[in-house]
Each structure stands twice: as structure tokens, then as C-alpha cells.
Amino acid sequence: ETGVTQTPRHLVMGMTNKKSLKCEQHLGHNAMYWYKQSAKKPLELMFVYNFKEQTENNSVPSRFSPECPNSSHLFLHLHTLQPEDSALYLCASSQEPPRGGGETQYFGPGTRLLVL
Amino acid sequence: SQQGEEDPQALSIQEGENATMNCSYKTSINNLQWYRQNSGRGLVHLILIRSNEREKHSGRLRVTLDTSKKSSSLLITASRAADTASYFCATEGGGSQGNLIFGKGTKLSVKP
């Protein structure tokens, strides 16, 4: 689709489970993002990585732990989640990090997460 | 917050009609982008308009920006059933605060 892939596409987990979401971009971009999309709420930026370094943590609870081993891969490690964490988690990338210059972000298809 | 707010929340039209969606925001911006999202999928970038531009076209899309009113509109002409999707505006501020801030979106339904 867009050069950004996410796995798994769907995930059901209990509150005591530990799981990881994976994102890979094949576009040679330097910046990667995690967003959370809940029903009837705006898209929420969670984390921003630039050249593998985290540059933004948007007050995300510690039960969400990002990892960026290289500029092509981004993970979101999940543990002891709550039912209200159920949402669509979207990964995106852009050539450069956001600096007000109008970088287009390219999104993956998302992981639909349900926490029971 | 410079969050964009789209209106209407939902819009239903017949194929061939034009669809207009509006976005308002609160603080000064460097640029405004429109994205489209098919149900349960990722967002796809449609068009970007910079703060010094008033109008921009891309195919059947026309975007306007009025920085004095802090508003933008997205017009889709001669709509098709395949245009059915949610449309989001995203504002980008200046300096180091360049993260995109998305609105809640307009859900467009184009009936064949």
C-alpha cells in the first residue's frame, strides 16, 4: 500500500498479557511515529523518533514502551493494558522530523487492538 | 491547542455531487494538510497548503485556507462512491512544535 507495514493487523489481549506491535517502513525515512486512534476522538500522537532517538513522548503511560532499533523499524511494547487502551494504533513515517516545514507523513494500515 | 475541528462530522451525498468539508483551528500555523482514511485503515496524505497560500488544487480536490479566520475547506468535485472515507485536517505549527495535530474528521458517504 504505502510503504509502511504493521503487524499484527488485529490483536486481542488480556490485561495481564505482554505483546508487541511492529512497524516497518521501506521508504528510507528518518522519522517514525506512533499514533492512537480511538472512536470519536482525534488522532493522538504518542511517540516520535528521529534517527532512532525519541524526540517526543506525549505523556503516554509507561505501560506503552516504544523501541526504535534503527530508522526502519519501530516497536510498541504493551504490558498490563487497560480496556480503555483498545484502539487502532497507527504507525507513520516521514522523510524528516516535524519542524514546521510541511513534512508529509505516510501511515501504515494500523493494528486494531482489543484489551479484554 | 491548535487542534483542527472539522465540520460537518458526517456528510452523505449522491455520486456526482460536490462535497465540501471545513476545518477550523485555534493558533497560528505553518501549514495545513488534509488526509483521507478508509474505514479501519491508515491515513493517506491528500494535499498540503502553506500559510502563505490561499488556494490549491490537485485533481478533483480544491483546498482553501483563510488564516484570518483560521479555517480551511476541502472541496471534492464530481464525487464518486470510491471517495467514501473519513477526511481529516492536520495543522502544523512553527519552530520546534512542528508535530501534526489532527481533528476528529468528517465521515463522507457517497451513494452510487
Side-chain angles (χ1 to χ4, degrees), chain A residues 12-72:
Chain A
V12 180
M13 60 186 289
M15 289 192 283
T16 57
N17 291 160
K18 288 185 181 181
K19 297 285 183 184
S20 295
L21 309 185
K22 179 183 176 183
C23 174
E24 184 173 1
Q25 57 97 359
H26 314 273
L27 302 169
H29 288 169
N30 297 317
M32 295 187 77
Y33 315 79
W34 279 117
Y35 287 91
K36 175 183 178 182
Q37 187 176 34
S38 306
K40 298 183 180 178
K41 290 177 72 174
L43 208 60
E44 301 172 59
L45 178 65
M46 300 174 72
F47 301 103
V48 181
Y49 276 82
N50 175 31
F51 291 100
K52 305 186 298 177
E53 299 296 321
Q54 188 181 121
T55 59
E56 183 95 18
N57 176 338
N58 208 17
S59 302
V60 180
S62 59
R63 57 186 184 268
F64 294 92
S65 174
E67 179 191 358
C68 189
N70 55 63
S71 53
S72 297

Side-chain angles (χ1 to χ4, degrees), chain B:
Chain B
S1 165
Q2 59 186 44
Q3 177 186 27
E5 291 281 345
E6 293 92 341
D7 96 274
Q9 289 187 357
L11 179 62
S12 182
I13 59 174
Q14 292 295 132
E15 215 167 21
E17 294 180 340
N18 296 342
T20 299
M21 290 159 270
N22 303 296
C23 169
S24 59
Y25 56 92
K26 296 176 183 175
T27 62
S28 63
I29 60 170
N30 274 11
N31 63 78
L32 185 145
Q33 304 182 35
W34 284 91
Y35 285 79
R36 164 200 166 119
Q37 183 181 34
N38 284 55
S39 180
R41 310 287 287 182
L43 280 72
V44 175
H45 179 261
L46 294 176
I47 195 166
L48 177 151
I49 186 164
R50 300 191 184 278
S51 58
N52 61 352
E53 297 175 310
R54 293 295 167 258
E55 189 170 311
K56 207 159 179 184
H57 297 255
S58 176
R60 293 184 296 113
L61 305 181
R62 173 178 169 249
V63 168
T64 63
L65 180 64
D66 186 336
T67 51
S68 67
K69 294 181 180 177
K70 293 186 169 59
S71 68
S72 173
S73 68
L74 171 67
L75 168 67
I76 303 175
T77 59
S79 64
R80 304 166 183 167
D83 294 327
T84 295
S86 291
Y87 292 82
F88 297 86
C89 68
T91 55
E92 186 176 8
S96 60
Q97 299 300 316
N99 290 327
L100 287 183
I101 309 294
F102 287 84
K104 293 181 184 179
T106 292
K107 193 167 186 177
L108 173 66
S109 175
V110 181
K111 299 187 186 336

